[in-house]
Amino acid sequence: MIGGIVMVLTAIWVYQSMMKAKKPNVLIWVAACAAAFFAVEFVAQIFCIEIIDALGGKDIGDSYDRDLASVSDRRTQENAGGFFVNSLCELFPSIAGFLVVAVVRTLIILKEALTPANLFSGVKEMFISIKDSFKTSSGN
């Protein structure tokens, strides 16, 4: 769920950045960035499951995988480390996917230097435009 929301926000961010920079092939680049995000998130999920298997000393298998209708927590360990590992494995894939898209957007699409300011430029403007999209004009 978290990954899907972050992927949609990332696609909006890339789209708005490309429109502002007046780059060609906007939709192709947005689709490529979404595919890169999904691929990195998929690999990071597999990596996290392997970490959980290694820490627990057992194959958690189907107890970690769940269907989309289930909203319960994933249980791997009951101690404080279990909370950390659960949180890491929920957030790391989305963060890794976002960072890969940020690097692709900065270096390949916008052809800018790889600095923190360039990597995350436009994120604030994206959230402001989303907020402004909910405003309605009164007919008075």
Side-chain angles (χ1 to χ4, degrees):
M1 185 76 155
I2 294 169
I5 293 169
V6 174
M7 185 193 293
V8 169
L9 290 173
T10 303
I12 293 169
W13 176 53
V14 170
Y15 175 79
Q16 287 182 345
S17 297
M18 291 194 67
M19 293 303 286
K20 184 178 177 184
K22 295 182 171 94
K23 296 287 184 175
N25 303 322
V26 173
L27 293 180
I28 292 172
W29 279 110
V30 170
C33 286
F37 181 97
F38 183 73
V40 169
E41 187 174 36
F42 180 76
V43 170
Q45 282 287 351
I46 292 171
F47 177 71
C48 283
I49 290 172
E50 292 300 322
I51 288 175
I52 291 171
D53 286 346
L55 289 177
K58 60 180 179 155
D59 184 18
I60 58 172
D62 292 336
S63 65
Y64 190 78
D65 298 332
R66 61 182 184 211
D67 59 19
L68 295 176
S70 174
V71 294
S72 63
D73 289 339
R74 293 176 174 153
R75 296 286 178 203
T76 56
Q77 298 172 341
E78 297 300 324
N79 56 19
F83 172 77
F84 177 73
V85 171
N86 284 344
S87 299
L88 178 70
C89 287
E90 286 292 332
L91 298 176
F92 173 71
S94 298
I95 293 169
F98 175 77
L99 289 175
V100 166
V101 170
V103 169
V104 167
R105 176 190 156 275
T106 303
L107 291 178
I108 298 174
I109 298 172
L110 299 178
K111 295 179 172 65
E112 296 176 343
L114 195 60
T115 64
N118 288 342
L119 272 178
F120 304 113
S121 67
V123 173
K124 180 180 176 184
E125 292 83 5
M126 176 197 60
F127 284 115
I128 290 171
S129 70
I130 290 172
K131 180 188 77 154
D132 291 344
S133 71
F134 290 105
K135 293 182 181 177
T136 58
S137 60
S138 64
N140 295 338

